[in-house]
Amino acid sequence: MKLLRLLVLLLALPVAAQQGGMWIPSLLKGMNEKEMKSLGMKMSASDIYDVNNSSLKDAVPHFNGGCTSEVISSQGLLLTNHHCGYGEIQAHSTIDHDYLTDGFWAMTMEEELPNPDMEVTFIVRIEDVTNQVLEGVPALTSEEDKQKKIQENISKLSNSLPKEKYQENKIRTFYEGNQYMLFVTETYKDVRLVGAPPSSIGKFGSDTDNWVWPRHTGDFSLFRIYANKDNLPAEYSEDNVPYTPKHFFPISLGGVKEDDFTLVFGYPGRTQEYLPAVAVQQIVEVLNPAKIGIRDAALKVTDGFMRKDKQIKIQYASKYASIANYWKKWIGESQGLTKSNAVAVKRAFEKDFLAKAKKAGKMEEYGNLFNDFDKYYAEIEPYQLSRDYFIEVAIRNTELLTIGYKLYQLEQVYNTRGEQSFTDRKNNTIASLESTYKDYSKQVDEKVFEQLIALYAEKSPAQFVPEELKNKDYSAFTKEVYTQSKITSYEGVKSLLSGDATTILEQLNNDKGYQVIKAMMQAYIEKVAPKYQEISLKIDALQRTYMKGILELSPKDARIFPDANSTMRITYGQVKGYEPRDAVYYEPVTYLDGVMEKYVPGDYEFDVPQKLIELYNNKDFGVYADKNGKMPVCFIGTNHTTGGNSGSPAIDAKGNLIGLNFDRVWEGTMSDIYYDPSICRNIMVDIRYVLFVIDKYAGDKRLIDEMKLVNVKKK
């Protein structure tokens, strides 16, 4: 049975037929369009992407550089995930106006809240510019020279290719450098918060249910795009008006059922579907366990404080969620890769690849690929592991060190650019750190530091750990640092940064906290980064050759999609349940009944608002209930998604909005590396639950009236 499964998976590489894949929307005509129609789609490829006419792509902006969103009204109303807008909801929250706990609903446009530095970006058109980017590159021999020439060409093209003055040219690489595409974009910078449910709805289940199915989370929030009087991008102004979109999504109340077609549009961040087997094995056995261990320690400390102190809970809510997200993802990813035997499947694919290369007379070009991969991944392992420890401990999870890192960068500005640049950077740093310290707790950070600095010193490769941090009593060392360092408060940092450049640098270098990050930085820069970069370039060159070989040696009708790189993609599939393990089957739809079954009064993850309980008990679901009178909450499908697809619209066969993507099932988080259609599922909020919360729970009927509802059933 295992052998049969292995053969099935091998034949499915790189992706199973008609499932999986993150496709460039401008290139859908042909195979993709046929596949989508075979799955039930009623639209054409031109309905999805068109330059000359409005199409679905015109309603799907990139949300603040990290998530996806969709326009759902003629007045620029924008829908995305609650967790995508979480930072802004938190920023507007105080003890007296706790929008995280209570939710926020603007009942008029005048009540909508501006968000400094928030932006959304639309794609105007996509063009292939591979030949222009690679001009002059093949004649070069050095990998460094090739990359330098490519960057020079990209810079020149970005500045010279036609666009409007309010637009931007962005060129991105695909297929590991074998293709380059131009994206012409428009970015709107006046985006205001319109509505958000309380976290007990928008984050229901919190970290326990994260990456888990069955799911019962109303993960949505609402914003609005504003433009100038000409409907063009503009900085925030009271004179701005709601944006008029080229297209917005009609919203279907028809519901979903098993095998319904689903299209997910979005900006998936990063996948590595074509990694060699040796790289996947290294991720599972070495790299993921290290990162999981670091975040596990940080989360346990932070969670303990958040449960006891409401102020700390508000301060750390967004940070905790961010840290926990990938901690849990890495756990599921490793489990999925192990369970699906991904390393063995990839080794079998590599064996088949070499057979094809031999048959095509291409062994001189491809014959040593996998031996070279084995060699360089073995060489890079200690450097990659040390890099991961440094980034996780110093840059992402210990705030004193993260702030210290910014101060270290300030010192480097002085060394490389002089005093004027130093002064400018210093003033910007002081201003930017004010918001950082608003959400900082010395007592939380001190306990996190104590745990993580010990892990860094004792678990990362010893040859790269600075001598100053070895063989310590880390409890006493932590107390010494947090007692003596001025980095533990905003006033302290401002005092460190007062005076002329010489005085400031002397004060920084005498600070105990700064001394720690500087020692870590110098060890990383001198001992880790150069060798890591050197070996990475060699691996990148091999990966590009491997990708070229896959494209060259595969049949013409092979389904080979480019890895995600935060550019616009579509992925299509169907509403599907799944069997994660023997004798276990999960239905594809969850209901409000499940929220009440999980309800734990007073629990910060599973509490439920009293009004939602009343609506449930009274079965007051309005037109949003299904045909059986139940209130749908979430559903799952076979769409191939990843980070960046948070907030992506889930679209039906006719182009109507039916849901909002926000997660994946735990068993299928490995899909960034290896997509297995038997267990990989994306999780979506049913749009009917979103509308039910806006209408029945919040009573913000003006928003419902703004939208175009289709397939509405009578009560």
Side-chain angles (χ1 to χ4, degrees), residues 1-11 340-341 344-345 348:
M1 188 68 182
K2 287 184 178 179
L3 178 59
L4 177 59
R5 176 174 170 76
L6 182 63
L7 289 172
V8 169
L9 291 170
L10 175 58
L11 291 172
S340 63
N341 214 8
V345 172

Side-chain angles (χ1 to χ4, degrees), residues 417-437:
R417 301 180 192 172
E419 187 156 357
Q420 183 58 53
S421 295
F422 171 86
T423 301
D424 293 341
R425 181 70 168 265
K426 178 199 73 173
N427 293 335
N428 291 335
T429 300
I430 292 172
S432 68
L433 286 176
E434 184 174 7
S435 61
T436 300
Y437 281 101

Side-chain angles (χ1 to χ4, degrees), residues 219-249:
D219 195 348
F220 77 93
S221 57
L222 292 155
F223 292 80
R224 191 185 304 279
I225 307 169
Y226 282 77
N228 67 18
K229 59 182 178 60
D230 298 317
N231 205 42
L232 296 177
E235 298 287 345
Y236 169 80
S237 169
E238 291 183 359
D239 296 329
N240 287 345
V241 296
Y243 167 70
T244 302
K246 296 175 185 175
H247 180 77
F248 66 90
F249 285 107

Side-chain angles (χ1 to χ4, degrees), residues 278-279 282 371-384 535 539:
V278 63
Q282 189 177 90
N371 289 334
D372 289 342
F373 272 133
D374 289 344
K375 173 187 174 183
Y376 290 128
Y377 273 102
E379 286 184 13
I380 205 171
E381 183 172 301
Y383 298 96
Q384 177 71 68
I535 304 171
I539 290 175

